[in-house]
Amino acid sequence: MFVDEVIVKLYAGNGGDGCTSFRREKCEPMGGPDGGNGGRGASIIFVGDRNLKTLVDLRYHKIIKGDKGINGKGSNKYGANREDIRINVPLGTTVVDEDTGLVVADIVNDKQEVVVAKGGRGGRGNRAFATHDDPAPGFSEKGEPGEERIVKCELKLIAEVGLIGLPSVGKSTILGMISGCHPKVAAYHFTTLSPNIGVVKLKDERVFTMADLPGLIEGASEGVGLGHKFLKHASRTKILAHVIDMGASEGRDPIEDYKIICDEIRKYDEKLYKKQGVIIANKMDLPNAKENLEKFKKTYPELEVFEISAALNEGLESLLKRLADILDETPDNALYEADELEGHVLYKFKEEIPFNITKVDDHWVLKGEAIEKLFKMTRIENEEAAMRFARKLRGMGVDEELERLGAKRGDEVEIMDYIFVFKE
């Protein structure tokens, strides 16, 4: 089964909790803190696998959860880290965060590993908080929450040449004649229900990959027919090879056919429309093909046209040589712009204030990823831990911002589901 799009919920493992413990032995009544740190939670890592051709395995794993790190113990015993979860995906898989729309990973190399959801670090035991001023802290940290996210995995096949065109123009036949790929063909529309990739090897030893993309029809960019599901597979190609039934075997107009395909590609993606293209005038063995080709060239004199008959294996050698020449001259271009990548955007805006304060009715609401993570790691029922939490907020500028907004001492401040009093 060919599956090229799956939405998955990822829950990386939380870190193990740190331990609050004191050494108490017969000869060491004041031995000091000896609580160990918790272990790291399991991260979820996607790994490129050249042997996979579909995302069908992920289709049956809609929720993936990592294990929580082992808690720390007394006697300075650290908790163990959990083993990361590795998910194999086919080359060409793009991972997009559903909430932000940003690209988390674009996996194009075999064995390439990308941490998609990071496991939480282990909480620190009370020994880690011991200082000269406070040699016996009575608190420890909870483990850091693991990253949670919903991602869309899209497979965009890696091929250098993409064969596109209306149904039944001969794309699969061409691919079958020039490569080791043998796609199913028949005398009816939409024989091809999934993309096929073939490896083309020329006599001069040059090699490239070619994809046969299922037929487009008018309205494909808006979801009509099957072709819209496969337009994304053309995004990685360097060359778009438009296959046109120049013999008009089904009574269509080759000029109108080309216009329909170009319009659909432009509506779908302007960058894809601007890729270098060639015209493959197929079925030149049919009676009206020469006449139709002459009209086509007069309408589109700027286009590079190759006359072939895939059924009779005529004209394919010169076509392949020209495609290889174009590939040699065409540089590799990045599939995504910098502002579409999560890493670039997070780095660009990391200096922004890490929290937001609003007034709701008679109290203040404090939100922010960093603050909420700190709160989840704090044993708030422990007085020492609560005081440390308050100092951390003050150091982040929360007190100053509350005062600037008009908060008074004694006002209530809500963080997640808890209410605190704003005071000295």
Side-chain angles (χ1 to χ4, degrees):
M1 181 186 298
F2 183 78
V3 177
D4 61 358
E5 190 172 306
V6 176
I7 293 178
V8 187
K9 293 182 180 180
L10 305 178
Y11 299 91
N14 296 337
D17 297 339
C19 176
T20 303
S21 173
F22 293 91
R23 185 180 178 189
R24 292 289 184 267
E25 297 177 17
K26 184 176 182 180
C27 299
E28 292 285 348
M30 301 294 288
D34 67 351
N37 298 345
R40 178 179 54 78
S43 295
I44 299 173
I45 301 172
F46 282 21
V47 183
D49 186 342
R50 65 182 179 184
N51 296 315
L52 294 180
K53 305 302 179 186
T54 171
L55 293 169
V56 67
D57 292 342
L58 273 181
R59 184 174 185 175
Y60 301 105
H61 295 84
K62 294 296 185 71
I63 298 177
I64 300 173
K65 293 184 177 180
D67 292 329
K68 179 179 184 256
I70 304 299
N71 295 339
K73 296 181 179 180
S75 302
N76 298 315
K77 293 180 179 178
Y78 282 31
N81 297 332
R82 288 293 193 175
E83 186 175 352
D84 295 331
I85 296 175
R86 284 175 164 76
I87 307 295
N88 287 1
V89 295
L91 303 189
T93 299
T94 296
V95 184
V96 179
D97 188 292
E98 280 284 270
D99 293 328
T100 65
L102 297 174
V103 176
V104 179
D106 190 32
I107 300 171
V108 295
N109 299 313
D110 190 37
K111 302 188 186 316
Q112 177 185 348
E113 295 190 358
V114 179
V115 178
V116 180
K118 186 178 180 182
R121 68 169 176 82
R124 287 171 289 182
N126 64 332
R127 186 190 179 193
F129 292 104
T131 64
H132 178 74
D133 295 329
D134 184 10
F139 67 94
S140 57
E141 273 183 333
K142 294 180 181 179
E144 179 185 32
E147 196 171 7
E148 299 180 5
R149 68 194 331 171
I150 300 175
V151 297
K152 179 167 71 173
C153 301
E154 286 186 297
L155 176 59
K156 299 182 178 181
L157 295 179
I158 299 176
E160 293 164 292
V161 180
L163 295 175
I164 59 175
L166 291 167
S168 301
V169 294
K171 299 185 298 297
S172 297
T173 303
I174 293 172
L175 187 64
M177 293 295 290
I178 64 180
S179 73
C181 181
H182 299 289
K184 176 184 175 184
V185 295
Y188 51 86
H189 285 182
F190 301 120
T191 307
T192 308
L193 299 179
S194 64
N196 296 294
I197 291 186
V199 178
V200 181
K201 186 172 182 180
L202 278 67
K203 293 180 180 178
D204 59 11
E205 299 300 316
R206 286 186 292 178
V207 177
F208 62 86
T209 53
M210 178 180 286
D212 154 33
L213 304 177
L216 299 173
I217 61 175
E218 191 168 7
S221 61
E222 299 169 359
V224 178
L226 297 176
H228 73 288
K229 294 184 178 181
F230 306 109
L231 273 169
K232 59 175 169 280
H233 295 295
S235 58
R236 295 190 193 275
T237 61
K238 291 184 178 180
I239 304 172
L240 291 181
H242 296 256
V243 182
I244 297 176
D245 176 4
M246 206 56 72
S249 59
E250 297 191 3
R252 295 195 301 245
D253 180 359
I255 296 173
E256 184 62 24
D257 286 358
Y258 178 69
K259 183 178 182 300
I260 288 172
I261 295 300
C262 288
D263 287 346
E264 294 307 319
I265 294 173
R266 173 179 272 172
K267 291 175 186 176
Y268 180 78
D269 186 353
E270 189 70 25
K271 288 192 295 185
L272 185 60
Y273 175 76
K274 292 179 179 178
K275 284 183 182 289
Q276 180 159 356
V278 298
I279 303 299
I280 300 177
N282 192 23
K283 304 187 182 181
M284 291 303 297
D285 52 303
L286 298 182
N288 298 324
K290 292 292 183 183
E291 181 183 345
N292 290 333
L293 179 61
E294 187 176 340
K295 292 178 182 178
F296 186 89
K297 286 183 175 180
K298 286 181 179 179
T299 306
Y300 298 106
E302 74 282 1
L303 297 178
E304 190 172 8
V305 181
F306 293 88
E307 303 176 37
I308 72 164
S309 172
L312 302 180
N313 195 12
E314 294 177 354
L316 292 174
E317 188 172 339
S318 59
L319 167 64
L320 298 182
K321 184 177 182 304
R322 178 55 183 150
L323 291 175
D325 290 341
I326 296 174
L327 289 173
D328 290 340
E329 300 163 2
T330 306
D332 292 326
N333 292 317
L335 183 59
Y336 299 102
E337 301 294 336
D339 59 1
E340 296 177 277
L341 304 176
E342 181 180 79
H344 172 84
V345 174
L346 292 179
Y347 175 78
K348 183 176 179 182
F349 295 106
K350 69 177 182 178
E351 298 299 330
E352 288 187 352
I353 296 175
F355 58 83
N356 175 261
I357 301 175
T358 56
K359 190 167 186 179
V360 178
D361 298 328
D362 59 347
H363 68 281
W364 302 87
V365 177
L366 175 59
K367 293 183 178 181
E369 183 180 346
I371 287 174
E372 291 172 8
K373 180 183 292 186
L374 177 64
F375 179 71
K376 290 176 182 177
M377 296 178 68
T378 301
R379 299 184 188 277
I380 208 69
E381 69 279 1
N382 181 287
E383 185 176 352
E384 286 186 62
M387 292 299 293
R388 176 177 176 269
F389 178 67
R391 290 195 300 271
K392 286 281 189 179
L393 293 188
R394 190 175 299 115
M396 295 169 70
V398 172
D399 287 15
E400 184 180 346
E401 183 66 9
L402 280 168
E403 289 177 346
R404 189 187 71 80
L405 293 172
K408 306 296 182 184
R409 301 299 173 174
D411 285 359
E412 292 183 340
V413 179
E414 179 183 340
I415 301 176
M416 300 184 71
D417 294 329
Y418 288 77
I419 299 292
F420 299 87
V421 177
F422 180 41
K423 59 183 182 179
E424 295 289 349

Short mmCIF file of all heavy atoms in Angstrom, two decimals, residues 203-239:
data_model
loop_
_atom_site.label_atom_id
_atom_site.label_comp_id
_atom_site.label_asym_id
_atom_site.label_seq_id
_atom_site.Cartn_x
_atom_site.Cartn_y
_atom_site.Cartn_z
N LYS A 203 24.30 5.05 -22.12
CA LYS A 203 25.46 4.32 -22.65
C LYS A 203 26.77 4.95 -22.17
O LYS A 203 27.79 4.25 -22.08
CB LYS A 203 25.42 4.30 -24.17
CG LYS A 203 24.26 3.47 -24.74
CD LYS A 203 24.27 3.49 -26.26
CE LYS A 203 23.12 2.66 -26.81
NZ LYS A 203 23.06 2.68 -28.30
N ASP A 204 26.75 6.27 -21.89
CA ASP A 204 27.97 6.93 -21.42
C ASP A 204 28.14 6.81 -19.90
O ASP A 204 28.92 7.53 -19.30
CB ASP A 204 28.00 8.40 -21.85
CG ASP A 204 26.80 9.18 -21.31
OD1 ASP A 204 26.07 8.64 -20.44
OD2 ASP A 204 26.60 10.33 -21.73
N GLU A 205 27.39 5.92 -19.29
CA GLU A 205 27.46 5.59 -17.86
C GLU A 205 26.81 6.62 -16.94
O GLU A 205 26.86 6.48 -15.71
CB GLU A 205 28.93 5.38 -17.42
CG GLU A 205 29.64 4.25 -18.13
CD GLU A 205 28.96 2.90 -17.91
OE1 GLU A 205 28.58 2.62 -16.78
OE2 GLU A 205 28.79 2.17 -18.90
N ARG A 206 26.23 7.67 -17.49
CA ARG A 206 25.52 8.61 -16.63
C ARG A 206 24.22 7.97 -16.15
O ARG A 206 23.56 7.23 -16.89
CB ARG A 206 25.23 9.92 -17.37
CG ARG A 206 26.47 10.80 -17.54
CD ARG A 206 26.14 12.14 -18.15
NE ARG A 206 25.71 12.02 -19.54
CZ ARG A 206 25.32 13.06 -20.29
NH1 ARG A 206 25.29 14.28 -19.75
NH2 ARG A 206 24.96 12.88 -21.55
N VAL A 207 23.85 8.29 -14.90
CA VAL A 207 22.67 7.68 -14.28
C VAL A 207 21.82 8.77 -13.64
O VAL A 207 22.33 9.70 -13.03
CB VAL A 207 23.09 6.66 -13.19
CG1 VAL A 207 21.86 6.07 -12.50
CG2 VAL A 207 23.93 5.55 -13.80
N PHE A 208 20.50 8.67 -13.79
CA PHE A 208 19.60 9.57 -13.07
C PHE A 208 18.29 8.85 -12.78
O PHE A 208 18.01 7.78 -13.33
CB PHE A 208 19.37 10.88 -13.85
CG PHE A 208 18.71 10.73 -15.19
CD1 PHE A 208 17.33 10.68 -15.32
CD2 PHE A 208 19.49 10.65 -16.35
CE1 PHE A 208 16.72 10.55 -16.57
CE2 PHE A 208 18.90 10.53 -17.60
CZ PHE A 208 17.52 10.48 -17.71
N THR A 209 17.50 9.43 -11.90
CA THR A 209 16.22 8.82 -11.51
C THR A 209 15.07 9.59 -12.14
O THR A 209 15.11 10.81 -12.28
CB THR A 209 16.04 8.81 -9.99
OG1 THR A 209 16.25 10.13 -9.48
CG2 THR A 209 17.02 7.86 -9.34
N MET A 210 14.03 8.86 -12.48
CA MET A 210 12.87 9.46 -13.12
C MET A 210 11.60 8.93 -12.45
O MET A 210 11.50 7.74 -12.16
CB MET A 210 12.85 9.13 -14.62
CG MET A 210 11.64 9.67 -15.38
SD MET A 210 11.70 9.24 -17.13
CE MET A 210 12.95 10.35 -17.73
N ALA A 211 10.67 9.84 -12.18
CA ALA A 211 9.41 9.45 -11.54
C ALA A 211 8.25 9.65 -12.50
O ALA A 211 8.15 10.66 -13.18
CB ALA A 211 9.19 10.28 -10.28
N ASP A 212 7.37 8.66 -12.51
CA ASP A 212 6.13 8.74 -13.27
C ASP A 212 5.04 9.13 -12.28
O ASP A 212 4.70 8.35 -11.38
CB ASP A 212 5.86 7.37 -13.91
CG ASP A 212 4.38 7.12 -14.17
OD1 ASP A 212 3.65 8.09 -14.45
OD2 ASP A 212 3.95 5.95 -14.06
N LEU A 213 4.52 10.35 -12.41
CA LEU A 213 3.51 10.85 -11.47
C LEU A 213 2.12 10.64 -12.04
O LEU A 213 1.87 10.96 -13.20
CB LEU A 213 3.76 12.33 -11.18
CG LEU A 213 5.17 12.63 -10.65
CD1 LEU A 213 5.36 14.11 -10.46
CD2 LEU A 213 5.42 11.89 -9.36
N PRO A 214 1.20 10.10 -11.26
CA PRO A 214 -0.16 9.81 -11.76
C PRO A 214 -0.81 11.01 -12.43
O PRO A 214 -0.54 12.16 -12.07
CB PRO A 214 -0.91 9.41 -10.49
CG PRO A 214 0.15 8.82 -9.63
CD PRO A 214 1.37 9.65 -9.88
N GLY A 215 -1.66 10.72 -13.40
CA GLY A 215 -2.22 11.74 -14.27
C GLY A 215 -2.97 12.86 -13.58
O GLY A 215 -3.76 12.65 -12.67
N LEU A 216 -2.70 14.07 -14.04
CA LEU A 216 -3.43 15.25 -13.57
C LEU A 216 -4.66 15.45 -14.46
O LEU A 216 -4.68 15.02 -15.60
CB LEU A 216 -2.54 16.49 -13.66
CG LEU A 216 -1.26 16.49 -12.84
CD1 LEU A 216 -0.43 17.71 -13.20
CD2 LEU A 216 -1.56 16.47 -11.37
N ILE A 217 -5.65 16.14 -13.92
CA ILE A 217 -6.77 16.60 -14.73
C ILE A 217 -7.08 18.03 -14.33
O ILE A 217 -6.56 18.54 -13.35
CB ILE A 217 -8.03 15.71 -14.53
CG1 ILE A 217 -8.50 15.74 -13.08
CG2 ILE A 217 -7.77 14.29 -15.00
CD1 ILE A 217 -9.80 14.99 -12.85
N GLU A 218 -7.92 18.68 -15.08
CA GLU A 218 -8.26 20.06 -14.77
C GLU A 218 -8.93 20.13 -13.40
O GLU A 218 -9.84 19.36 -13.09
CB GLU A 218 -9.20 20.63 -15.84
CG GLU A 218 -9.39 22.13 -15.73
CD GLU A 218 -10.08 22.72 -16.95
OE1 GLU A 218 -10.53 21.94 -17.82
OE2 GLU A 218 -10.17 23.95 -17.03
N GLY A 219 -8.43 21.04 -12.56
CA GLY A 219 -8.94 21.18 -11.20
C GLY A 219 -8.15 20.38 -10.19
O GLY A 219 -8.49 20.35 -9.01
N ALA A 220 -7.05 19.74 -10.62
CA ALA A 220 -6.26 18.89 -9.72
C ALA A 220 -5.71 19.67 -8.54
O ALA A 220 -5.66 19.17 -7.42
CB ALA A 220 -5.12 18.24 -10.49
N SER A 221 -5.28 20.91 -8.77
CA SER A 221 -4.70 21.72 -7.68
C SER A 221 -5.72 22.01 -6.59
O SER A 221 -5.36 22.34 -5.46
CB SER A 221 -4.14 23.03 -8.23
OG SER A 221 -5.18 23.79 -8.83
N GLU A 222 -7.00 21.87 -6.90
CA GLU A 222 -8.06 22.13 -5.93
C GLU A 222 -8.64 20.83 -5.38
O GLU A 222 -9.65 20.83 -4.70
CB GLU A 222 -9.16 22.96 -6.58
CG GLU A 222 -8.66 24.33 -7.06
CD GLU A 222 -9.67 25.05 -7.93
OE1 GLU A 222 -10.74 24.47 -8.19
OE2 GLU A 222 -9.38 26.16 -8.37
N GLY A 223 -8.01 19.70 -5.73
CA GLY A 223 -8.43 18.43 -5.16
C GLY A 223 -9.25 17.55 -6.07
O GLY A 223 -9.76 16.52 -5.63
N VAL A 224 -9.38 17.90 -7.34
CA VAL A 224 -10.17 17.08 -8.27
C VAL A 224 -9.30 15.94 -8.78
O VAL A 224 -8.15 16.14 -9.16
CB VAL A 224 -10.69 17.94 -9.45
CG1 VAL A 224 -11.47 17.06 -10.42
CG2 VAL A 224 -11.55 19.07 -8.93
N GLY A 225 -9.88 14.73 -8.82
CA GLY A 225 -9.15 13.59 -9.36
C GLY A 225 -8.07 13.10 -8.41
O GLY A 225 -8.08 13.36 -7.21
N LEU A 226 -7.10 12.36 -8.95
CA LEU A 226 -6.03 11.77 -8.15
C LEU A 226 -4.74 12.58 -8.19
O LEU A 226 -3.93 12.51 -7.28
CB LEU A 226 -5.73 10.34 -8.65
CG LEU A 226 -6.86 9.32 -8.53
CD1 LEU A 226 -6.42 8.01 -9.16
CD2 LEU A 226 -7.25 9.12 -7.09
N GLY A 227 -4.54 13.33 -9.25
CA GLY A 227 -3.25 13.97 -9.48
C GLY A 227 -2.80 14.92 -8.39
O GLY A 227 -1.61 15.04 -8.12
N HIS A 228 -3.75 15.63 -7.73
CA HIS A 228 -3.36 16.60 -6.72
C HIS A 228 -2.61 15.95 -5.57
O HIS A 228 -1.79 16.58 -4.91
CB HIS A 228 -4.60 17.32 -6.17
CG HIS A 228 -5.44 16.49 -5.27
ND1 HIS A 228 -6.21 15.45 -5.74
CD2 HIS A 228 -5.61 16.53 -3.93
CE1 HIS A 228 -6.83 14.89 -4.70
NE2 HIS A 228 -6.50 15.52 -3.61
N LYS A 229 -2.87 14.66 -5.31
CA LYS A 229 -2.19 13.98 -4.21
C LYS A 229 -0.72 13.74 -4.51
O LYS A 229 0.07 13.49 -3.62
CB LYS A 229 -2.86 12.62 -3.95
CG LYS A 229 -4.29 12.73 -3.43
CD LYS A 229 -4.83 11.36 -3.11
CE LYS A 229 -6.25 11.45 -2.54
NZ LYS A 229 -6.79 10.12 -2.21
N PHE A 230 -0.36 13.84 -5.79
CA PHE A 230 1.00 13.49 -6.17
C PHE A 230 1.81 14.66 -6.70
O PHE A 230 2.97 14.51 -7.05
CB PHE A 230 0.95 12.36 -7.21
CG PHE A 230 0.16 11.17 -6.75
CD1 PHE A 230 -1.06 10.86 -7.30
CD2 PHE A 230 0.64 10.37 -5.72
CE1 PHE A 230 -1.80 9.78 -6.86
CE2 PHE A 230 -0.09 9.29 -5.26
CZ PHE A 230 -1.31 8.99 -5.83
N LEU A 231 1.19 15.85 -6.78
CA LEU A 231 1.95 17.01 -7.23
C LEU A 231 3.14 17.28 -6.33
O LEU A 231 4.19 17.75 -6.79
CB LEU A 231 1.04 18.25 -7.29
CG LEU A 231 0.26 18.46 -8.58
CD1 LEU A 231 -0.78 19.55 -8.40
CD2 LEU A 231 1.19 18.79 -9.73
N LYS A 232 3.00 16.99 -5.02
CA LYS A 232 4.11 17.25 -4.10
C LYS A 232 5.34 16.42 -4.45
O LYS A 232 6.47 16.80 -4.13
CB LYS A 232 3.70 16.98 -2.66
CG LYS A 232 3.23 15.58 -2.36
CD LYS A 232 2.98 15.45 -0.85
CE LYS A 232 2.24 14.16 -0.52
NZ LYS A 232 0.80 14.29 -0.77
N HIS A 233 5.13 15.27 -5.12
CA HIS A 233 6.27 14.42 -5.46
C HIS A 233 7.12 15.02 -6.58
O HIS A 233 8.24 14.56 -6.83
CB HIS A 233 5.79 13.03 -5.87
CG HIS A 233 5.14 12.28 -4.75
ND1 HIS A 233 5.83 11.90 -3.62
CD2 HIS A 233 3.86 11.88 -4.55
CE1 HIS A 233 5.00 11.27 -2.78
NE2 HIS A 233 3.80 11.27 -3.33
N ALA A 234 6.59 16.04 -7.25
CA ALA A 234 7.37 16.72 -8.29
C ALA A 234 8.24 17.81 -7.70
O ALA A 234 9.10 18.36 -8.40
CB ALA A 234 6.44 17.32 -9.34
N SER A 235 8.05 18.14 -6.42
CA SER A 235 8.73 19.31 -5.84
C SER A 235 10.24 19.13 -5.76
O SER A 235 10.98 20.12 -5.80
CB SER A 235 8.16 19.61 -4.45
OG SER A 235 8.31 18.50 -3.60
N ARG A 236 10.74 17.90 -5.63
CA ARG A 236 12.19 17.70 -5.52
C ARG A 236 12.86 17.54 -6.88
O ARG A 236 14.09 17.51 -6.97
CB ARG A 236 12.48 16.44 -4.68
CG ARG A 236 12.05 16.56 -3.24
CD ARG A 236 12.60 15.38 -2.44
NE ARG A 236 11.97 15.28 -1.15
CZ ARG A 236 12.33 15.95 -0.06
NH1 ARG A 236 13.36 16.79 -0.14
NH2 ARG A 236 11.71 15.80 1.07
N THR A 237 12.09 17.40 -7.94
CA THR A 237 12.69 17.17 -9.25
C THR A 237 13.41 18.42 -9.76
O THR A 237 13.06 19.54 -9.43
CB THR A 237 11.62 16.76 -10.28
OG1 THR A 237 10.66 17.82 -10.40
CG2 THR A 237 10.91 15.50 -9.85
N LYS A 238 14.44 18.19 -10.58
CA LYS A 238 15.13 19.30 -11.23
C LYS A 238 14.48 19.65 -12.57
O LYS A 238 14.55 20.79 -13.03
CB LYS A 238 16.60 18.93 -11.46
CG LYS A 238 17.43 18.83 -10.20
CD LYS A 238 18.89 18.56 -10.55
CE LYS A 238 19.77 18.49 -9.32
NZ LYS A 238 21.18 18.24 -9.68
N ILE A 239 13.89 18.65 -13.20
CA ILE A 239 13.29 18.85 -14.52
C ILE A 239 11.86 18.31 -14.52
O ILE A 239 11.61 17.20 -14.01
CB ILE A 239 14.08 18.11 -15.63
CG1 ILE A 239 15.54 18.53 -15.64
CG2 ILE A 239 13.46 18.35 -17.00
CD1 ILE A 239 16.40 17.70 -16.57
#
